[in-house]
Amino acid sequence: MSDVKVRFAPSPTGWMHIGNTRTAVFNWLLAKKLGGKFLLRIDDTDVLRSKKEYEEAILDVLVWLGLNWDEQARQSERIVRYDEVVAKLKDEGRIYACYETAEELEVMRKKLMAQGRPPIYDRGALKLTKEDVARYEAEGRKPHYRFKLLPGAIEWDDMVRGRIHYDAANLADPVIIREDGSYLYHLPSVIDDVDFGITHIIRGEDHVTNTAAQIQMFEALAGKSPIFAHLPLLTGKEGKLSKRLGSLGVRELRAEGVENLAICSFLAKLGTSEAIEPFNDLTSLAESLDLTKLGRSQPKFDEQELKLFNSKFVRQMSFENVAERVSVKRDFWEAVKGNLDTVIEAEKWHKVCYEEIVPDMEDAELTAMAADLLPDEPWSENTYGEWMGLVKTHTDKKGKELFHPIRKALTAQDCGPELKILLPFIGRERAYNRLKGKKA
């Protein structure tokens, strides 16, 4: 086991959507590839919005995907630790109190933007006298707190984006504690990453600016920062982030029959220079991980493309991979899987073949004649073609006019696996009765 350690840090303030699922997949795969550990950290400091059912759903999704964790942490249980670090950083002058109201800050922001200047906080709070502070507190104002960035270049080598450079002078000191005393994301995340020994952080490119500020927090606490990788954000097929994409969750995809490994395979290769191909186990998928093959452009996520890929995935699955999930036998699975879009559809076609159905009689005269021409058993996949040849010679029917009424009578379905595949499983007695219009 190497010293590599990654983390996935969801907030239980909503259902786990496809975007943060992708982040979880990449972190887990990197840990697996490098022989490291995967930490699950629940970022539940937002007391008002965090809900137990969201957290339970996140854990359920991760387990179903196969993304098991080696350790687990919870931010709400670490507030005392955060307070200790804040006290130390206050003493060192890296955290300072600010008394501006939200309205005053918004006025400042708009004024700077009107002047064509970046909306960077002017550090006015550092100029406050004891009298100023006393006056604000007498007014009932509660301070919020900022982390003071030191001047100079902030640079790092990103595993996806390459060399990244920021000038601290162009960044606003980030707010780390709200007026009500609650923590924002920035500092607790860094404290946790330091305390738990996180070596690599993979997250969305919307965190790049956060990373620049957090690197100085890492340096203030530990002298160095982890290795970063910022993934391009997913967009919808229309080329922009959509509300549907932002809420589409694994729960819904799972309910619709999308396979866990299909989701992982699809998300791991989406936006890379590699073909999106099925991987039948996470270990092989992890071995194939190469972050340098990720493009810089935002990949388009199309739910229908994932479902088409899922069909491809299902159709190459071995019986061993589905045996515990379906009641069908090996020969039936191997016969029908090439026409399935989901694993559970095998059960549907098993019922069509072996359980009683009400035939749909489109052309009773045709199907009755076809019944009388059924050959004796045993049957094989060649039986259907030979039988249809006989029926054609006794009627003037051909094409859909011939085949569709036969299918409807035998299966009561418009489409599905080829009848040459299904017919041997239906058997002569059931086939005969259905073609004659009898429930069988």
Side-chain angles (χ1 to χ4, degrees):
M1 184 71 72
S2 72
D3 293 330
V4 168
K5 194 172 185 180
V6 304
R7 47 78 163 176
F8 175 57
S11 297
T13 55
W15 307 115
M16 190 162 157
H17 58 75
I18 204 69
N20 50 29
T21 299
R22 178 170 173 254
T23 300
V25 167
F26 270 95
N27 275 285
W28 193 95
L29 293 177
L30 183 68
K32 186 71 173 178
K33 181 182 178 73
L34 300 180
K37 292 184 177 180
F38 180 72
L39 168 72
L40 171 62
R41 189 183 79 211
I42 304 298
D43 285 6
D44 59 347
T45 54
D46 189 338
V47 178
L48 293 177
R49 295 173 59 220
S50 295
K51 293 184 179 180
K52 191 67 176 176
E53 59 261 39
Y54 292 145
E55 181 180 332
E56 290 174 350
I58 290 168
L59 268 59
D60 181 60
V61 162
L62 291 174
V63 170
W64 180 72
L65 288 172
L67 309 180
N68 297 312
W69 50 95
D70 301 291
E71 297 178 39
Q72 186 172 347
R74 181 183 302 279
Q75 286 198 327
S76 61
E77 296 175 352
R78 290 177 45 78
I79 302 300
V80 171
R81 171 61 177 153
Y82 305 152
D83 292 344
E84 289 175 357
V85 174
V86 167
K88 175 178 178 290
L89 292 176
K90 283 180 179 178
D91 290 342
E92 295 173 356
R94 296 303 298 273
I95 291 178
Y96 61 97
C98 304
Y99 287 85
E100 296 91 352
T101 65
E103 292 77 17
E104 288 169 344
L105 289 172
E106 181 63 15
V107 169
M108 291 182 199
R109 189 184 73 84
K110 288 182 177 178
K111 184 177 179 181
L112 287 169
M113 292 182 71
Q115 295 171 354
R117 297 162 61 190
I120 297 172
Y121 178 61
D122 64 5
R123 292 182 170 173
L126 292 176
K127 303 180 183 70
L128 294 177
T129 64
K130 290 183 179 179
E131 291 74 20
D132 292 330
V133 172
R135 186 176 71 256
Y136 283 140
E137 292 186 348
E139 293 175 6
R141 292 199 189 197
K142 301 287 186 182
H144 60 273
Y145 290 86
R146 292 178 183 266
F147 180 83
K148 184 180 179 182
L149 298 174
L150 301 180
I154 302 173
E155 298 178 318
W156 72 94
D157 289 312
D158 195 277
M159 295 177 74
V160 175
R161 299 168 65 87
R163 190 70 175 170
I164 296 181
H165 172 93
Y166 276 87
D167 186 339
N170 296 326
L171 300 173
D173 292 341
V175 177
I176 57 168
I177 303 175
R178 301 180 182 90
E179 290 179 11
D180 64 3
S182 62
Y183 284 96
L184 279 84
Y185 163 80
H186 306 285
L187 187 59
S189 180
V190 169
I191 296 170
D192 290 339
D193 290 335
V194 170
D195 287 358
F196 288 100
I198 301 303
T199 62
H200 295 68
I201 296 174
I202 302 180
R203 56 190 180 186
E205 63 185 0
D206 53 331
H207 282 284
V208 171
T209 303
N210 288 341
T211 295
Q214 286 182 325
I215 281 177
Q216 287 212 4
M217 296 180 192
F218 277 110
E219 291 171 346
L221 295 180
K224 63 176 183 177
S225 59
I227 297 169
F228 289 93
H230 291 89
L231 306 177
L233 298 180
L234 297 180
T235 63
K237 60 183 178 180
E238 66 279 4
K240 61 182 180 179
L241 288 170
S242 65
K243 186 175 180 181
R244 169 64 176 157
L245 182 57
S247 62
L248 177 65
V250 175
R251 293 191 321 152
E252 292 84 359
L253 294 170
R254 179 182 182 182
E256 293 172 11
V258 181
E259 294 294 305
N260 55 351
L261 284 168
I263 292 172
C264 292
S265 299
F266 189 85
L267 291 178
K269 300 304 178 184
L270 184 65
T272 73
S273 57
E274 302 172 278
I276 300 177
E277 296 291 346
F279 283 80
N280 289 306
D281 64 90
L282 288 173
T283 299
S284 300
L285 183 59
E287 289 171 356
S288 78
L289 182 69
D290 185 350
L291 294 177
T292 64
K293 293 184 177 179
L294 271 166
R296 290 289 300 274
S297 60
Q298 295 181 330
K300 291 180 173 60
F301 176 86
D302 186 337
E303 186 178 347
Q304 292 308 311
E305 283 185 12
L306 171 58
K307 289 179 179 177
L308 287 172
F309 176 72
N310 187 67
S311 300
K312 178 180 179 180
F313 189 94
V314 168
R315 293 169 188 181
Q316 56 82 53
M317 291 178 74
S318 68
F319 180 70
E320 285 71 21
N321 286 335
V322 302
E324 295 182 0
R325 297 165 52 192
V326 294
S327 60
V328 308
K329 293 181 179 179
R330 180 186 298 273
D331 61 340
F332 189 85
W333 171 259
E334 296 297 341
V336 303
K337 72 177 186 181
N339 292 90
L340 303 180
D341 293 318
T342 64
V343 169
I344 200 64
E345 284 179 9
E347 298 281 6
K348 166 189 170 181
W349 290 106
H350 192 266
K351 290 177 180 178
V352 166
C353 290
Y354 290 105
E355 297 184 12
E356 190 177 84
I357 68 167
V358 178
D360 188 340
M361 306 303 289
E362 266 188 7
D363 187 339
E365 183 179 348
L366 168 65
T367 58
M369 179 184 293
D372 293 332
L373 294 172
L374 279 169
D376 292 331
E377 293 179 310
W379 286 356
S380 69
E381 283 197 11
N382 296 323
T383 301
Y384 176 73
E386 294 166 359
W387 173 46
M388 283 297 98
L390 280 174
V391 176
K392 281 182 183 178
T393 62
H394 285 76
T395 69
D396 58 356
K397 308 283 188 180
K398 61 182 179 179
K400 185 176 181 181
E401 192 179 18
L402 169 63
F403 302 124
H404 199 259
I406 300 288
R407 169 175 284 280
K408 292 287 279 186
L410 288 173
T411 68
Q413 304 291 324
D414 281 306
C415 55
E418 294 180 70
L419 284 179
K420 71 176 184 178
I421 294 172
L422 298 180
L423 195 62
F425 295 106
I426 295 172
R428 192 180 192 286
E429 182 180 353
R430 272 189 296 270
Y432 181 86
N433 288 329
R434 290 176 184 181
L435 290 164
K436 290 291 188 177
K438 300 175 183 177
K439 188 188 294 186

